[in-house]
């Protein structure tokens, strides 16, 4: 069995912490343990100056390797090109995407430095699996240093339509870099098609067969691998004593009120202001919900160095303040907005205590929260999921109540319908979604990707 080398911006956690952190870490750690391997990426630390020092932690057959970033590299690579250029652009926010050549140079510089650092630790038979938008040029850097190993890439966020991508001045350089991999994986079929359309329209590339595209003198495999969660494990977590305790405490606080829940990293792609407005519209249009229905929004802050993330927080505090001021009662707060994170068990309990899961991103590669909400439900009396059609997850969870998050009225209607959905309908929908989550779980995602990367050995 070939050794696996995983490259991602953040590394770990491993051991017990991996279970607490959830699906992705567990899936990668399992694969690394099974075949032995390296997991390489940024330590999360920023030093004053660049240093090529690698920190190494051995965990049985698995080795974690991390490097610090210099302040300059952090600003250009992470806060700059990754999070102020690629993240908004790939989520169709051309208006927020800022291009700065120095940031792009920094992005390439960090990819080159990381590739250089990994190079002496690679073995000829390694399978290399690179993750996400931080490391698009990683393989091209390794190839330029003479690496011939099989390399695969998985993009966790959407791949935009060519008309959007070409607004980026360096679009060709990025796509050319992707052709250094042997396999490029996307979350959904539309992402895969967007990539192929770009190759055909912009580079004169050729579709070879269902899974292969040729461009820049290379043929690569291009496939969709929808990421899943550790479904059984999450369902067990939600039924565990710790989660139940949270569920009971929640019910005590609610005094018979019904809860709608949203859980998202605080990010402008998640459609939070639109969601709050749709909830306000629910209270306006269907006054019977006043005093009886609460929206709890958990939104831990992220990327606080980027200004757009501060703006969204202020906007949300403004809207929830207005709605609460307008409708609130001494014994009922319509929107409970919590800006810090919860432990995983508590989160599972909160999902289970909520009659409706409200997941309305404006664009999302997959969205694991939607999947976790479903897995956490009581099989005897499950809640209903309201899900944006623009989340990758909507392609699998088509038994959810699917909404367009830009349609305030429509989301309010979907909420009203979900709050009143009869139990037999909730059960039917839940069984259909759970069936899919059990079949297409995170192990399948990882195994399918690795099988495609190995190819015919
Ligand atoms: C990217 C793509 C794709 C959130 N709040 C808390 C908490 N979380 C956990 C959730 C979930 C994870 O964070 C968020 O995952 P999502 O998939 O919803 O979104 P992104 O962070 O944007 O992830 C996305 C994903 O990569 C995987 O490929 O699905 O499309 O954007 O697991 O539970 N966890 C805890 N406390 C919180 O307060 N413990």
């Amino acid at each position: 069995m070939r050794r696996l080398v995983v490259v991602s911006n953040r590394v770990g956690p491993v051991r017990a912490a991996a279970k607490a952190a959830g699906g992705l870490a567990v899936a990668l750690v399992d694969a690394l343990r099974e075949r032995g391997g390296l997991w390489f990426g940024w330590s999360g630390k920023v030093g004053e100056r660049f240093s090529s020092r690698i920190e190494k932690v051995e965990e049985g057959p698995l080795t974690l390797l991390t490097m610090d970033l210099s302040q300059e590299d952090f600003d250009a690579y992470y806060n700059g090109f990754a999070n102020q250029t690629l993240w908004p652009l790939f989520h169709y926010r051309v208006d927020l995407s800022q291009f700065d050549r120095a940031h792009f140079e920094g992005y390439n510089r960090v990819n080159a430095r990381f590739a250089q650092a990994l190079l002496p630790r690679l073995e000829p038979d390694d399978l290399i699996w690179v993750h996400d938008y931080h490391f698009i040029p990683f393989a091209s850097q390794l190839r330029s240093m003479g690496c011939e190993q099989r390399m695969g890439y998985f993009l966790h966020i959407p791949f935009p339509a060519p008309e959007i991508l070409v607004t980026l001045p360096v679009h060709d350089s990025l796509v050319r870099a992707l052709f250094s991999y042997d396999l490029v994986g996307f979350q959904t079929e539309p992402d895969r098609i967007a990539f192929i359309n770009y190759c055909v329209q912009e580079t004169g590339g050729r579709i070879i067969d269902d899974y292969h595209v040729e461009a820049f003198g290379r043929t690569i495999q291009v496939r969709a691998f929808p990421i899943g969660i550790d479904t059984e494990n999450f369902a067990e977590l939600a039924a565990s004593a710790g989660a139940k305790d949270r569920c009971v405490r929640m019910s005590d606080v609610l005094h018979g009120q019904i809860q709608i829940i949203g859980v998202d990293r605080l990010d402008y792609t998640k459609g939070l202001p639109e969601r709050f407005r749709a909830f306000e519209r629910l209270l306006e249009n269907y006054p019977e919900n006043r005093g009886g229905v609460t929206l709890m929004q958990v939104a831990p802050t992220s990327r606080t160095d980027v200004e757009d993330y501060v703006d969204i927080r202020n906007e949300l505090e403004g809207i929830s303040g207005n709605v609460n001021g307008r409708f609130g009662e001494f014994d009922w707060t319509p929107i409970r907005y919590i800006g810090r994170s919860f432990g995983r068990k508590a989160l599972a309990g909160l999902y289970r205590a909520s009659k409706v899961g409200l997941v309305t991103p404006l664009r999302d590669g997959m969205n694991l929260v939607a999947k976790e909400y479903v897995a956490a439900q009581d099989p005897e009396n499950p809640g209903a999921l309201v899900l944006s059609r623009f989340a990758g997850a909507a392609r699998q969870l088509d038994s959810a109540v699917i909404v367009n998050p830009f349609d305030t009225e429509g989301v309010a209607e979907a909420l009203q319908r979900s709050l009143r959905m009869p139990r037999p309908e909730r059960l039917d929908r839940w069984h259909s979604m759970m069936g899919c989550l059990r079949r297409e779980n995170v192990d399948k995602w990882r195994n399918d990707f690795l099988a495609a990367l190995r190819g015919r050995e």
Side-chain angles (χ1 to χ4, degrees):
M1 207 189 257
R2 297 195 195 193
R3 190 174 76 148
L4 178 63
V5 176
V6 172
V7 180
S8 60
N9 182 55
R10 295 305 296 273
V11 169
V14 293
R15 287 203 294 190
K19 281 228 165 351
L24 184 58
V26 178
L28 294 177
V29 169
D30 280 355
L32 288 161
R33 280 198 200 291
E34 212 171 274
R35 36 182 67 232
L38 301 180
W39 191 352
F40 175 61
W42 175 38
S43 62
K45 289 184 239 156
V46 178
E48 215 171 290
R49 230 166 264 113
F50 168 70
S51 149
S52 58
R53 202 181 66 82
I54 290 195
E55 193 172 342
K56 181 172 169 182
V57 177
E58 309 242 13
E59 292 278 346
L62 147 68
T63 305
L64 303 179
L65 300 173
T66 53
M67 273 174 78
D68 298 352
L69 286 173
S70 68
Q71 185 65 49
E72 192 193 0
D73 284 350
F74 174 74
D75 291 342
Y77 150 83
Y78 184 75
N79 272 343
F81 195 70
N83 285 330
Q84 284 179 69
T85 310
L86 291 181
W87 175 269
L89 188 77
F90 279 35
H91 287 90
Y92 288 72
R93 293 301 301 268
V94 181
D95 57 324
L96 296 180
S97 181
Q98 300 168 22
F99 177 69
D100 180 330
R101 273 193 193 180
H103 286 174
F104 184 54
E105 279 159 21
Y107 177 76
N108 283 319
R109 182 173 64 238
V110 169
N111 271 267
R113 281 176 171 168
F114 275 59
Q116 185 79 55
L118 184 62
L119 183 67
R121 291 171 166 82
L122 292 176
E123 291 167 10
D125 263 353
D126 284 344
L127 280 179
I128 303 173
W129 186 2
V130 179
H131 288 260
D132 229 357
Y133 59 102
H134 313 89
F135 282 128
I136 292 174
F138 199 81
S140 66
Q141 295 292 350
L142 282 179
R143 298 268 184 240
S144 72
M145 298 167 197
C147 286
E148 289 178 355
Q149 287 89 339
R150 289 191 78 81
M151 297 186 207
Y153 175 82
F154 184 76
L155 182 67
H156 288 256
I157 66 176
F159 191 85
E163 292 74 12
I164 300 284
L165 186 57
V166 294
T167 62
L168 179 68
V170 293
H171 58 88
D172 46 349
S173 157
L174 283 182
V175 176
R176 179 185 289 268
L178 284 172
F179 274 81
S180 289
Y181 294 94
D182 299 292
L183 165 67
V184 174
F186 298 100
Q187 296 273 26
T188 65
E189 202 48 30
D191 297 315
R192 192 180 83 89
I193 290 170
F195 175 75
I196 291 175
N197 285 345
Y198 175 96
C199 297
V200 172
Q201 289 166 23
E202 294 291 324
T203 74
R206 219 160 50 91
I207 299 171
I208 306 285
D209 59 31
D210 282 356
Y211 296 123
H212 292 88
V213 181
E214 184 203 292
F216 307 106
R218 259 180 75 89
T219 299
I220 61 169
Q221 218 188 137
V222 182
R223 302 177 86 128
F225 302 95
I227 194 168
I229 59 167
D230 188 351
T231 311
E232 295 308 334
N233 196 295
F234 203 81
E236 278 167 25
L237 194 71
S240 69
K244 267 197 191 130
D245 173 56
R246 179 66 59 152
C247 206
V248 169
R249 274 172 61 196
M250 195 68 251
S251 311
D252 288 350
V253 175
L254 286 171
H255 294 301
Q257 287 164 16
I258 292 172
Q259 179 163 278
I260 301 172
I261 191 148
V263 174
D264 307 77
R265 226 172 11 78
L266 186 60
D267 193 294
Y268 50 79
T269 61
K270 302 291 183 185
L272 296 170
E274 291 78 2
R275 187 180 304 174
F276 283 14
R277 288 200 192 96
F279 180 71
E280 180 177 31
R281 190 62 57 86
L282 173 82
L283 300 178
E284 282 166 356
N285 292 2
Y286 308 97
E288 61 272 29
N289 295 306
R290 295 182 197 166
V293 178
T294 300
L295 169 63
M296 176 184 275
Q297 178 63 53
V298 178
T301 49
S302 65
R303 304 175 194 168
T304 41
D305 295 337
V306 179
E307 207 177 316
D308 294 322
Y309 287 79
V310 178
D311 294 348
I312 181 91
R313 184 176 172 174
N314 291 338
E315 189 181 357
L316 283 181
E317 284 172 1
I319 307 176
S320 55
N322 278 338
V323 174
N324 289 343
R326 185 172 162 208
F327 292 101
E329 301 278 355
F330 72 96
D331 57 355
W332 171 60
T333 307
I335 300 183
R336 298 152 73 106
Y337 169 43
I338 301 175
R340 60 171 193 85
S341 69
F342 283 90
R344 207 147 175 82
K345 210 173 255 183
L347 204 59
L350 289 181
Y351 287 140
R352 198 166 172 127
S354 307
K355 191 157 183 192
V356 176
L358 185 53
V359 183
T360 52
L362 307 180
R363 256 323 132 173
D364 218 328
M366 178 53 62
N367 195 297
L368 298 181
V369 168
K371 296 188 169 183
E372 291 165 359
Y373 175 78
V374 172
Q377 295 309 298
D378 176 355
E380 301 298 317
N381 189 18
L385 174 66
V386 175
L387 178 60
S388 162
R389 57 172 294 171
F390 303 116
R395 297 189 63 81
Q396 293 166 299
L397 303 180
D398 54 0
S399 299
V401 178
I402 302 291
V403 293
N404 178 341
F406 297 98
D407 177 9
T408 313
E409 210 79 33
V411 177
E413 267 167 30
L415 282 173
Q416 174 72 355
R417 182 166 166 224
S418 303
L419 287 163
R420 275 154 192 78
M421 191 181 283
R423 185 162 164 264
E425 184 180 346
R426 279 187 278 120
L427 278 167
D428 274 358
R429 289 174 181 262
W430 183 77
H431 278 297
S432 149
M433 292 191 280
M434 243 346 229
C436 169
L437 295 184
R438 287 197 172 110
R439 278 189 309 276
E440 299 179 21
N441 64 10
V442 73
D443 292 337
K444 177 172 174 7
W445 168 76
R446 177 197 72 202
N447 294 337
D448 285 355
F449 187 94
L450 289 175
L453 178 57
R454 276 197 307 273
R456 273 174 259 111
E457 276 184 327

